[in-house]
Amino acid sequence: MGPRVLLVCTANICRSPGAEGLLAGRLGGEVDFFSRGTRSVAGAGGCEYSTEWVRDHSGLVRHHTSRPLEVADIRASTMILTATQAQRGRVIEMRPSAQVRTFTLLHAARTAQWLASVGRTPPPGADLAHRVLWLVEELDANRGAAPRGIEDDDELADPHRGGRHAQVFSRLQAAVDDLCAPLLFRGPVLRRDRARLRQKASG
């Protein structure tokens, strides 16, 4: 079985399935992506905006239903990416040993971008599965290394609780671009290369 990446938000109807779908469209095959919610209602339908956004940006058509986060999900995950710091805290509360592989999505993306900018890349010849394992270790080892920008609060707002879908999903897409950079390319890839990244993903 290859690496499993768990995406976590509150209700598991909008942000986490959106990130799951976009990542699956970029990296699916060798890596398994799935999502859960810290306060989800089992069986609830996915947010219409998120569902359409995934279709438009990844080509995947998914009929998502919400599922609550369980300890078994955490134990089965190679990497865990949350929408907020509070959700990261909830994951660690449920499974303390998961701290080393749990990050907010925006913090993981910011650190991955920094790794690429300083020339830290996966071992030559490593396949995608091994690159994911490499990235988890590098993210944990460099938690405080990536500089923060003015807007780097590492919190992905909830569009159903005051956030705006367009703004939130714009940040989500940029984060996925940065997170995928060291996984899809063999050399440093900076933000100016996002167009190439998207073209490769859709090709």
Side-chain angles (χ1 to χ4, degrees):
M1 179 181 294
R4 303 194 74 203
V5 177
L6 169 62
L7 289 304
V8 179
C9 69
T10 303
N12 189 218
I13 62 170
C14 187
R15 292 167 293 176
S16 59
E20 173 196 355
L22 188 57
L23 283 164
R26 298 279 176 85
L27 305 174
E30 297 175 66
V31 183
D32 179 29
F33 296 94
F34 66 114
S35 62
R36 299 289 186 267
T38 56
R39 296 184 186 177
S40 67
V41 176
C47 162
E48 183 177 348
Y49 185 99
S50 180
T51 301
E52 293 182 356
W53 186 88
V54 168
R55 181 196 63 203
D56 293 343
H57 290 81
S58 73
L60 298 179
V61 178
R62 293 188 162 193
H63 302 287
H64 177 79
T65 55
S66 173
R67 292 185 61 178
L69 178 66
E70 299 180 355
V71 173
D73 301 317
I74 300 172
R75 287 166 51 190
S77 302
T78 307
M79 178 192 291
I80 303 166
L81 302 171
T82 67
T84 68
Q85 292 286 0
Q87 289 151 9
R88 177 177 182 271
R90 178 56 180 154
V91 169
I92 295 169
E93 179 184 352
M94 294 174 66
R95 184 74 174 178
S97 63
Q99 180 173 355
V100 297
R101 62 183 191 277
T102 306
F103 318 87
T104 67
L105 173 61
L106 296 185
H107 177 235
R110 180 164 56 84
T111 306
Q113 170 65 199
W114 174 81
L115 289 169
S117 72
V118 299
R120 299 277 282 277
T121 57
D127 60 16
L128 182 56
H130 284 91
R131 287 183 177 213
V132 171
L133 297 175
W134 169 87
L135 183 59
V136 173
E137 294 178 353
E138 288 292 321
L139 291 177
D140 182 50
N142 295 281
R143 285 183 182 273
R148 286 178 176 270
I150 296 175
E151 297 182 357
D152 287 327
D153 58 8
D154 296 338
E155 299 279 313
L156 193 63
D158 187 344
H160 297 266
R161 295 188 177 185
R164 293 184 177 181
H165 277 96
Q167 183 178 13
V168 170
F169 276 79
S170 177
R171 293 192 77 190
L172 190 158
Q173 183 173 13
V176 168
D177 287 347
D178 287 346
L179 188 69
C180 288
L183 300 175
L184 291 177
F185 291 87
R186 298 189 179 278
V189 179
L190 305 181
R191 286 182 172 139
R192 64 175 179 270
D193 297 309
R194 281 181 178 152
R196 286 173 48 218
L197 182 70
R198 290 172 184 160
Q199 184 176 14
K200 181 179 179 68
S202 62

